[in-house]
Each structure stands twice: as C-alpha cells, then as structure tokens.
C-alpha cells in the first residue's frame, strides 16, 4: 500500500475484517489500538503483546492487504497521524449534549473523508452508465438500506428516470425473475452478507441484468456476486454501530451518481425536473 492516501488505510483494514478468524480479529484490535505504535515498534514486541507468533503477525498483515508487518506498521502510523483519524471519538455515558453532537457529526465526517479516499472512480462511472442506459431499474434493500434505495429512486424520478424499490425478499425474487439484459439492479447491503438481497441479485444476473452492489465490504459475498461494486466505509462504535455513518456516506455516493447520470443528458434531465416539480407544485396549490 505504498504511496496510498493515508485516509484510506483505516478503511482498507476494516473492509477486510470479515475475512479474519476470531483470533486474527483480536490480534488486529491489539495492534490498531496501540497508542505507542511507531516505526520503531518491533514485530517481536507486537507478537508478545498479542500472545501470538511473529509468523502469525506477518500472515495477518498480508490478509489485510499489506506486504508484511513493516508495511502494516508504516500504514497505521501514517493513518494515525492523519487528520481524518482524529475525527473519531467514542461516545461515553458522561458526554454532554454538545459533546454527543460533535462526536456523531465528526464520525460522519470521517466516514465521508475515508469513503472519498477508497471510492473507485472507474466503478462509479460504470455504475452511472449502467443505470443511465437501463430500461428498468430495480433497487433492493432491507431496513435502513431500503431508505437509501427510496431516496435515490425519488431523485431518479425527478429527472424522468423510473425506478422501483423492493424491501421484501419475496418481491425482490419476483422482480428479478422477469428482468432482462437491458435492465439493471442496485443492491444495498451494509454487511455485504444479506441473504435477502443476495439471492435476488444472483437471479437478476442470471436473467442477464446488470448488477451493482453498494456495501461497506469490498470482499463480501454480495460484492463478489455483483458486476460493479461501490464501497462506503465507516468506523463502528458500541452505541452507534457502523450503519449510521455508513448511510451518510452511501447517500453521498448515490447523490453523486444521480448528478453524474443527469449530466449525461442534462437538457432532458432539466426538462423532466421542471415537469415533475411543476406537477408537485400544482398539487400543492390545488
């Protein structure tokens, strides 16, 4: 990861955590939580503190995408010194309202900064092309993810692009079963392991439709099954979890996608926006 944007290092590690064993997760937590980690910290010291072998430390570093312990250590030191790393603070029972607001907002700011750093622009452009050219656009999501799907579907309709949102597993399967090669599906799954959206997405792809996954984990099952993957990232906390900040990042990705799609035929988008907003205004006046 040499030369990588420092903002992306924490995200790259988090995205690989689901692939680790419980023991490996414990070791990573031991390493990343060290406040005294420097370029002089030895692998022997880290292995001793984590109660594992030096070979295990090297193995974990490679599973996290680094060439070895030195690269992992250097990346973490660089990340911890970055402005984005300092945005996050745990919420405590004694926090004032002002402190809670600041911490929640700063956590979302960190998610946005790190998501920008990891977002694949080529994948973003492919997703925009797929959604722009699609005949039918289906959005699949459960719970909070369904709210993101509704938000983007609403924006698409504003510029005259019809989209359907499904938040029920059976309805998703029914929808997917009748899709065709000129259709597109966008799936939202924070964990990347939501079976309720994974099975319909696989069916849609079998039908020839193009599939896009929006997730927090690039190497998840949902990501691996999609044609295009758009990744967000956020750091979890015991109270907020990961989903709250991740939704903010995903909403921003989809807002940018909406603008990129509208830009492909700006005049038509502008005309349709006038029609749709005019219809709403007429209803209010009536």
């Amino acid at each position: 990861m040499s030369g990588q944007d420092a903002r992306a290092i924490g995200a790259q590690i988090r995205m690989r955590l689901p692939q680790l064993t419980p023991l490996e997760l414990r070791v990573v937590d031991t390493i990343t939580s060290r406040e005294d980690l420097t370029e002089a910290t030895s692998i022997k010291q880290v292995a001793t503190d984590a109660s594992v072998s030096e070979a295990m430390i090297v193995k974990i570093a490679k599973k996290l995408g680094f060439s070895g312990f030195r690269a992992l250590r250097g990346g973490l030191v660089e990340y911890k010194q970055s402005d984005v790393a300092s945005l996050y603070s745990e919420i405590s029972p004694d926090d004032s309202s002002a402190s809670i607001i600041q911490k929640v907002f700063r956590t979302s700011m960190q998610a946005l900064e790190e998501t920008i750093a990891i977002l694949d622009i080529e994948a973003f452009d492919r997703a925009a092309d797929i959604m722009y050219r699609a005949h039918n656009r289906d959005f699949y999501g459960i719970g909070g993810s369904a709210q993101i799907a509704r938000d983007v579907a609403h924006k698409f309709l504003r510029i005259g692009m019809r989209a359907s949102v499904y938040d029920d597993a059976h309805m998703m399967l029914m929808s997917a079963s009748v899709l065709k090669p000129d259709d597109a599906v966008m799936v939202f799954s924070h964990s990347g392991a939501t079976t309720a959206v994974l099975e319909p997405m696989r069916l849609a792809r079998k039908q020839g439709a193009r599939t896009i996954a929006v997730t927090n984990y690039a190497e998840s099952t949902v990501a691996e099954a999609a044609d295009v993957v758009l990744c967000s990232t956020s750091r979890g906390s015991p109270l907020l979890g990961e989903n709250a900040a991740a939704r903010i990042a995903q909403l921003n990705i989809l807002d940018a996608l909406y603008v990129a799609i509208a830009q492909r035929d700006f005049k038509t988008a502008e005309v349709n926006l006038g029609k749709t907003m005019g219809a709403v205004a007429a209803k209010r006046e009536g």
Side-chain angles (χ1 to χ4, degrees):
M1 294 188 178
S2 177
Q4 181 178 1
D5 188 333
R7 296 176 301 172
I9 293 169
Q12 292 287 3
I13 291 174
R14 286 196 297 275
M15 286 195 295
R16 289 173 169 82
L17 295 182
Q19 313 303 318
L20 303 184
T21 66
L23 172 60
E24 291 169 341
L25 285 170
R26 181 181 64 78
V27 174
V28 171
D29 184 61
T30 299
I31 298 172
T32 56
S33 62
R34 292 184 71 112
E35 296 295 335
D36 62 344
L37 187 71
T38 69
E39 293 287 3
T41 304
S42 69
I43 187 172
K44 181 178 181 180
Q45 183 180 355
V46 171
T48 300
D49 291 348
S51 301
V52 295
S53 67
E54 293 180 21
M56 172 65 80
I57 299 295
V58 174
K59 176 186 175 183
I60 292 172
K62 290 182 177 179
K63 289 184 75 170
L64 292 175
F66 297 88
S67 59
F69 171 71
R70 289 185 179 181
L72 171 60
R73 180 186 61 192
L76 282 172
V77 169
E78 187 178 4
Y79 174 70
K80 287 175 179 289
Q81 292 173 346
S82 68
D83 292 337
V84 71
S86 64
L87 288 171
Y88 180 86
S89 297
E90 289 285 2
I91 295 175
S92 71
D94 299 325
D95 282 337
S96 65
S97 294
S99 181
I100 289 171
I101 292 169
Q102 184 181 63
K103 288 182 177 181
V104 170
F105 274 62
R106 285 167 66 88
T107 297
S108 294
M109 290 164 61
Q110 183 188 55
L112 290 171
E113 286 284 352
E114 294 190 359
T115 296
I116 290 174
I118 66 167
L119 191 60
D120 185 332
I121 302 303
E122 183 180 343
F124 177 89
D125 286 338
R126 288 177 61 201
D129 285 336
I130 289 171
M131 298 306 288
Y132 174 70
R133 299 177 188 280
H135 178 67
N136 290 303
R137 304 167 189 85
D138 282 1
F139 296 88
Y140 299 161
I142 299 293
S145 293
Q147 301 307 317
I148 300 172
R150 290 189 182 93
D151 182 81
V152 68
H154 168 256
K155 287 186 172 68
F156 276 20
L157 187 57
R158 282 165 54 112
I159 56 173
M161 302 180 74
R162 291 189 173 275
S164 301
V165 178
Y166 298 93
D167 61 1
D168 176 84
H170 292 162
M171 292 295 290
M172 291 179 203
L173 286 168
M174 292 171 65
S175 164
S177 69
V178 295
L179 292 177
K180 297 178 181 179
D182 58 350
D183 297 327
V185 168
M186 181 173 286
V187 169
F188 299 85
S189 173
H190 172 78
S191 67
T194 310
T195 304
V197 299
L198 176 61
E199 292 179 0
M201 185 179 71
R202 283 175 169 166
L203 178 57
R205 195 172 184 183
K206 185 178 180 181
Q207 293 294 109
R210 303 298 300 276
T211 56
I212 302 164
V214 182
T215 179
N216 238 43
Y217 297 99
E219 297 181 11
S220 63
T221 308
V222 166
E224 291 174 353
D227 292 308
V228 181
V229 182
L230 299 176
C231 275
S232 59
T233 184
S234 63
R235 182 172 175 177
S237 72
L239 186 60
L240 287 175
E242 292 182 4
N243 292 16
R247 281 197 294 271
I248 298 296
Q250 290 178 3
L251 283 168
N252 275 265
I253 292 173
L254 272 299
D255 279 353
L257 191 71
Y258 157 74
V259 172
I261 291 169
Q263 190 184 53
R264 280 160 169 72
D265 189 351
F266 189 78
K267 288 185 178 179
T268 299
E270 196 172 37
V271 170
N272 287 332
L273 183 61
K275 289 179 181 179
T276 55
M277 293 300 96
V280 172
K283 174 64 177 177
R284 288 173 179 167
E285 292 174 0

